């Protein structure tokens, strides 16, 4: 287990869709352990393999230390509610930058566990937002693309000033 280096926005690897995991082995388990350590050190509530430059569809989410750990291999959205909700989002690849993003309040998603077994599950509230956020990242969609152009431009100007320090 190790804390890995997190790519910083606008690294082009953050805009690339990740490849499906095909080997469910000790190396995958080690990657998930490293993702968990890296997420906690950042700190954050979710991270993907893309955030550390690994081209695999792997995400790790833990909303709080006393909450369940969610490891999703090859996750994909099956369906989402028409009802929307707003939560403040950010990224371990853009520390200190946040804004409100509107997403479906409930989602059904499919994923595999560390053994390759396929599951379908539902999430709502903040967990649903986090799952959608991390799946977007695995698809090469960085969270700021969900903002209006005005909000995105404002945030990017702030990021440029912040990241020069």
């Amino acid at each position: 287990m190790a804390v890995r280096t997190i790519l910083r926005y606008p690294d082009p690897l953050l805009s690339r869709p990740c490849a499906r995991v095909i080997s469910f082995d000790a190396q995958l388990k080690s990657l998930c352990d490293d993702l968990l350590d890296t997420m906690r050190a950042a700190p954050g509530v979710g991270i993907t393999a893309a955030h550390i430059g690994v081209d695999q569809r792997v995400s790790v989410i833990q909303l709080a230390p006393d909450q369940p750990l969610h490891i999703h291999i090859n996750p994909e959205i099956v369906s989402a509610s028409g009802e929307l909700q707003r939560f403040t989002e950010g990224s371990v690849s853009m520390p200190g930058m946040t804004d409100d993003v509107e997403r479906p309040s409930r989602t059904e998603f499919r994923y595999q566990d560390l053994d390759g077994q396929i599951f379908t599950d539902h999430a709502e509230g903040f967990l649903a937002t986090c799952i959608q956020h991390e799946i977007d990242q695995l698809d090469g969609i960085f969270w700021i693309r969900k903002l209006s152009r005005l909000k995105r431009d404002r945030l990017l100007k702030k990021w440029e000033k912040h990241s020069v320090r």
Side-chain angles (χ1 to χ4, degrees):
M1 299 192 306
V3 174
R4 303 262 202 112
T5 300
I6 296 172
L7 301 178
R8 294 290 183 231
Y9 182 85
D11 191 299
L13 293 178
L14 294 169
S15 298
R16 185 178 72 191
C18 291
R20 290 186 63 77
V21 171
I22 54 174
S23 295
F24 295 81
D25 55 15
Q27 192 172 0
L28 177 63
K29 170 79 170 92
S30 179
L31 170 63
C32 290
D33 289 342
D34 288 355
L35 284 171
L36 181 59
D37 289 346
T38 304
M39 178 187 75
R40 287 177 174 162
V45 297
I47 193 168
T48 67
H51 287 112
I52 62 169
V54 175
D55 182 22
Q56 291 193 340
R57 293 188 67 80
V58 177
S59 74
V60 172
I61 298 170
Q62 188 173 35
L63 302 183
D66 62 339
Q67 295 290 310
L69 174 63
H70 303 272
I71 296 175
H72 299 138
I73 313 299
N74 299 323
E76 58 188 15
I77 300 293
V78 174
S79 65
S81 68
E83 182 183 331
L84 302 176
Q85 64 186 0
R86 278 189 184 277
F87 279 105
T88 301
E89 295 187 28
S91 175
V92 295
S93 291
M94 199 180 224
M97 303 294 113
T98 61
D99 210 325
D100 290 343
V101 177
E102 191 171 67
R103 295 183 186 267
S105 62
R106 291 179 309 283
T107 187
E108 180 180 3
F109 61 102
R110 183 178 308 118
Y111 68 97
Q112 290 172 275
D113 68 7
L114 287 169
D115 296 319
Q117 196 170 8
I118 299 171
F119 294 89
T120 300
D121 204 350
H122 297 82
E124 59 184 47
F126 187 52
L127 180 58
T129 290
C130 292
I131 289 167
Q132 293 169 77
H133 175 106
E134 302 307 348
I135 290 174
D136 277 351
Q137 183 60 65
L138 293 172
D139 291 337
I141 302 167
F142 198 70
W143 75 277
I144 63 172
R145 288 181 42 197
K146 297 292 182 178
L147 299 173
S148 70
R149 184 179 187 98
L150 178 64
K151 285 177 122 182
R152 186 172 50 248
D153 288 348
R154 217 179 282 154
L155 188 117
L156 288 173
K157 282 182 185 174
K158 189 175 168 184
W159 174 243
E160 287 173 19
K161 289 179 186 173
H162 177 81
S163 60
V164 170
R165 290 187 238 161

